[in-house]
Amino acid sequence: MASDDVANLADSLAKAQVNEGELSYKGQGLKLDNAQSVEEMVKEIEEFDDLRALRLEGNTIGLEAAQTIAKALEKKSDLQCCHWSDMFTGRLRAEIPPALVSLGDALITAGARLKVLDLSDNAFGPDGVKGIEKLLKSAACHSLQELRLNNCGMGIGGGKILAAALTACHKDSSALGAPLQLKVFIAGRNRLENDGATALAQAFQLIGSLEEVHMPQNGINHPGVTALATAMQHNPQLRVLNLNDNTFTKKGAIAMAEALKHLRNVQVINFGDCLVRSEGASAIAETLREGLPILKELNLSFGEITEEAALDVARSVELKDQLEKLDLNGNSLGEEGCDSLREVMESMNMADKLGSLSDDEGEPEEDEDEDEDDDDEDVEEEEEEEEEEGEGEEEKSELNQFSTPPSAPRTPDVSSFLSFPSPDKLLRLGERRSSLIQQQVDVLDVCKTAEAFLKISSVYKDDDAEVKSAVLESIDAVLSKAFFTPSFQGLSFVSSLLVMLGLLKSEDKLKVVKVVPGHLQCLEHAVKQSYFPRDHITVLNAFMARQNKSLEVCSSSRDRLKFTLQELVPES
């Protein structure tokens, strides 16, 4: 091992956070390929008495390195929390499942009793789920309380494997007199679709202890939503339900509204961009009048809800004394409808609880018919089912094609993408996406321009050529228009961007975002373009040179950006 590599790892070990039984290498950007590269880490693990939490997220771990770390974990019976998200970046897909098997076997051998397992942002697909299947079925997970598998590309096949493993875990733990008490389940952006969601719903119904369920952006339509609704009724302690960016339509929304009548502990409901439509919204309003006494947040944005139904929802929250936010943005109220909604909220002394209505779609055309739309959707679903039945081997091959984009239930508009960005939404905007986004963004408003830049760059994926290209084209379209506009305040834009990234304090009420690598990677791209003023690079370089905690989770992207800025700074 090169001396520089040893020095770098030693430095990282010195930075490792040790808090109440936790050993952390979070976000250090370590590239660990083999046994030699993890010698010092393994020593730290072995010498750490009463190790309860191990954080490996934000590094990249090869198969041999994972197997070596696993050997060290075989004697760590006190381990409870495995924070292992985003730890296979750049690795071959074939490496990941055996690496997961090795780590899982080590936990089983150690006799660990896990409480938290986080493998989010590891694009391991269905094969990766197979890699943790044995662990999930084992006694090591009988005590599991939080399972986080966000953005793992599981697909339908992976969802079914996961559901079967959780069911087996619950069955075996129940036989021992201590049933699995899973509280938090997170699996957004996994292309679970109806079949995967339905399989998981059956497991949820059996488990019955869930407090938080997050399954946004999974291509789930009303059959899957209805199955989840039934399952939620059997989880009386449910507090948070996030199904953002799936497709309820009124059938799914009505089923979910009925299910919510049985739950009294729900505090947060996120059905934004779910196409609940007016009839579904009215059904949810009826549930609100009858129950959900401690609701804090309700998101029904971008649901094609018209004025009457929106007012119905607003009136239904009058007695919710714990309500903090009602989001009805992006619906079809029209200008007068928005005014009426604000008046209703003001009359109940709840005006401050109503979110922005800036992206309202306007009143719908008179000939639009929700029933017709739902009927059309039913026909489409029946056709899709018939096609699936005839596909045979093609359906089986889905297990190995987790990177294939899901079929889109509908084409989103630019407002929907900028409000709740996702790679799928960006791609579904079509080939004209960059010009559409450019037209939408008001470049004379530097704050909105900075916010748009961060929204677009948040979905950047370095390992997905199509998404990467779409993001960079959109970034270039917005920023080139901005900087080529004579009245654009470029330095004010840079200042707003620095504030939102947490690098600069400001008295303005600008929201600081959670920094992700895409923000910095897209900024690195932008500063290299001809439209980006050279003198602005000097400003950025000065701030990036400072130490800042908000960028620690993206240390690799931060370092690349700093290097690029230093290379581009004009000579004085």
Side-chain angles (χ1 to χ4, degrees):
M1 188 176 183
S3 58
D4 288 345
D5 292 336
V6 174
N8 289 338
L9 183 56
D11 183 55
S12 295
L13 289 168
K15 297 175 184 175
Q17 302 170 8
V18 182
N19 295 313
E20 298 181 2
E22 177 183 287
L23 183 58
S24 176
Y25 303 94
K26 179 180 179 180
Q28 294 185 13
L30 300 173
K31 190 174 186 296
L32 308 172
D33 296 324
N34 50 40
Q36 197 172 8
S37 68
V38 293
E39 283 181 354
E40 292 297 325
M41 180 184 289
V42 165
K43 184 179 178 182
E44 287 278 317
I45 293 172
E46 289 175 341
E47 294 179 353
F48 197 113
D49 294 330
D50 302 321
L51 179 65
R52 286 180 167 76
L54 179 61
R55 308 195 76 108
L56 296 175
E57 65 263 57
N59 300 290
T60 176
I61 301 175
L63 175 56
E64 186 180 331
Q67 292 170 334
T68 307
I69 293 170
K71 290 294 292 182
L73 294 177
E74 287 181 355
K75 297 179 181 179
K76 297 299 172 182
S77 59
D78 293 323
L79 189 61
Q80 297 177 347
C81 303
C82 297
H83 300 282
W84 295 347
S85 64
D86 187 23
M87 66 175 194
F88 295 117
T89 300
R91 297 295 169 182
L92 294 174
R93 182 176 166 189
E95 286 185 88
I96 301 174
L100 291 171
V101 169
S102 296
L103 292 166
D105 286 349
L107 297 174
I108 295 170
T109 300
R113 292 294 181 266
L114 295 186
K115 290 184 178 179
V116 178
L117 178 60
D118 185 356
L119 289 167
S120 297
D121 300 316
N122 290 310
F124 49 51
D127 291 340
V129 184
K130 290 179 182 177
I132 60 172
E133 183 179 12
K134 181 181 176 182
L135 172 63
L136 290 173
K137 290 181 176 179
S138 74
C141 285
H142 286 184
S143 52
L144 194 64
Q145 295 180 9
E146 298 184 17
L147 180 59
R148 301 170 181 267
L149 296 169
N150 202 56
N151 191 31
C152 288
M154 290 190 289
I156 295 171
K160 289 181 176 180
I161 296 168
L162 177 60
L166 291 174
T167 299
C169 183
H170 184 270
K171 179 182 177 181
D172 293 345
S173 58
S174 297
L176 296 173
L180 171 67
Q181 294 287 301
L182 188 66
K183 295 180 180 179
V184 177
F185 179 83
I186 300 177
R189 296 176 62 185
N190 271 292
R191 296 195 311 103
L192 295 169
E193 301 183 26
N194 289 333
D195 288 349
T198 299
L200 285 166
Q202 293 169 353
F204 296 162
Q205 185 168 330
L206 183 67
I207 293 169
S209 56
L210 288 167
E211 296 179 9
E212 292 188 28
V213 174
H214 302 261
M215 297 174 66
Q217 298 177 25
N218 269 297
I220 307 170
N221 297 327
H222 73 77
V225 172
T226 300
L228 288 170
T230 300
M232 294 306 105
Q233 295 182 45
H234 297 268
N235 289 266
Q237 299 307 312
L238 188 70
R239 294 183 294 104
V240 179
L241 182 57
N242 175 9
L243 295 175
N244 185 281
D245 198 11
N246 291 291
T247 307
F248 284 34
T249 66
K250 71 177 184 183
K251 290 184 179 180
I254 290 172
M256 194 59 75
E258 286 298 315
L260 290 170
K261 290 180 179 179
H262 300 269
L263 302 169
R264 299 192 61 79
N265 292 303
V266 175
Q267 298 177 15
V268 178
I269 296 173
N270 186 344
F271 295 161
D273 204 23
C274 283
L275 203 65
V276 299
R277 296 206 170 116
S278 297
E279 194 167 342
S282 293
I284 292 170
E286 180 185 343
T287 297
L288 286 165
R289 282 189 289 270
E290 297 176 3
L292 302 174
I294 59 173
L295 187 69
K296 292 183 177 180
E297 294 183 22
L298 175 62
N299 184 347
L300 294 178
S301 60
F302 297 93
E304 293 190 1
I305 301 169
T306 54
E307 177 184 350
E308 184 178 351
L311 295 177
D312 197 14
V313 171
R315 295 186 183 103
S316 71
V317 301
E318 182 174 8
L319 301 179
K320 309 301 176 193
D321 55 7
Q322 295 188 38
L323 188 74
E324 296 174 1
K325 184 176 182 181
L326 172 62
D327 190 346
L328 287 167
N329 196 19
N331 284 298
S332 303
L333 310 185
E335 187 174 344
E336 291 183 4
C338 289
D339 290 341
S340 297
L341 180 58
R342 293 188 186 97
E343 289 173 6
V344 167
M345 294 298 286
E346 287 175 6
S347 69
M348 301 186 299
N349 294 319
M350 301 178 78
D352 59 328
K353 313 299 182 187
L354 181 64
S356 169
L357 299 174
S358 61
D359 293 315
D360 186 74
E361 298 287 346
E363 294 183 50
E365 298 294 330
E366 290 183 6
D367 59 351
E368 287 184 7
D369 190 323
E370 289 189 5
D371 291 333
E372 239 177 62
D373 289 343
D374 280 340
D375 290 341
D376 289 344
E377 184 188 75
D378 290 341
V379 171
E380 288 171 7
E381 287 177 359
E382 286 172 8
E383 290 173 352
E384 286 172 7
E385 288 171 6
E386 288 172 4
E387 287 173 7
E388 287 171 3
E389 288 173 4
E391 283 175 357
E393 293 303 315
E394 289 182 19
E395 184 180 13
K396 293 179 183 177
S397 70
E398 188 272 345
L399 292 176
N400 297 316
Q401 299 295 330
F402 67 93
S403 61
T404 304
S407 57
R410 64 187 176 108
T411 302
D413 58 21
V414 176
S415 295
S416 174
F417 166 71
L418 291 175
S419 297
F420 302 100
S422 73
D424 284 346
K425 281 187 184 178
L426 180 61
L427 295 180
R428 280 155 47 198
L429 287 173
E431 295 182 0
R432 294 186 60 246
R433 66 180 71 89
S434 58
S435 61
L436 292 172
I437 293 173
Q438 183 189 65
Q439 293 168 20
Q440 179 78 13
V441 178
D442 179 8
V443 297
L444 296 181
D445 187 323
V446 294
C447 294
K448 288 184 178 178
T449 306
E451 184 178 349
F453 170 85
L454 294 173
K455 293 272 190 177
I456 299 166
S457 59
S458 70
V459 306
Y460 180 90
K461 298 174 75 173
D462 203 29
D463 58 352
D464 188 321
E466 187 178 11
V467 173
K468 178 179 178 180
S469 175
V471 168
L472 296 182
E473 286 176 6
S474 301
I475 291 292
D476 288 341
V478 172
L479 293 189
S480 61
K481 177 184 176 182
F483 284 116
F484 290 150
T485 299
S487 56
F488 181 68
Q489 301 294 316
L491 285 175
S492 295
F493 163 76
V494 171
S495 297
S496 298
L497 196 60
L498 290 170
V499 172
M500 293 177 185
L501 290 171
L503 302 177
L504 177 64
K505 292 184 178 180
S506 171
E507 295 181 0
D508 296 331
K509 294 182 179 180
L510 293 178
K511 184 178 179 181
V512 177
V513 302
K514 179 181 178 182
V515 182
V516 297
H519 292 147
L520 306 183
Q521 290 165 326
C522 289
L523 187 55
E524 182 190 4
H525 166 83
V527 298
K528 292 188 288 187
Q529 306 310 306
S530 59
Y531 58 70
F532 204 97
R534 301 296 95 181
D535 56 335
H536 293 10
I537 291 174
T538 304
V539 177
L540 279 173
N541 184 55
F543 280 93
M544 288 300 300
R546 301 177 181 179
Q547 290 292 328
N548 193 288
K549 291 183 178 180
S550 70
L551 302 184
E552 289 179 358
V553 294
C554 308
S555 57
S556 179
S557 301
R558 175 201 63 195
D559 293 344
R560 287 199 301 270
L561 174 58
K562 288 171 68 174
F563 177 80
T564 298
L565 289 171
Q566 289 165 5
E567 289 286 303
L568 294 173
V569 170
E571 295 182 6
S572 55

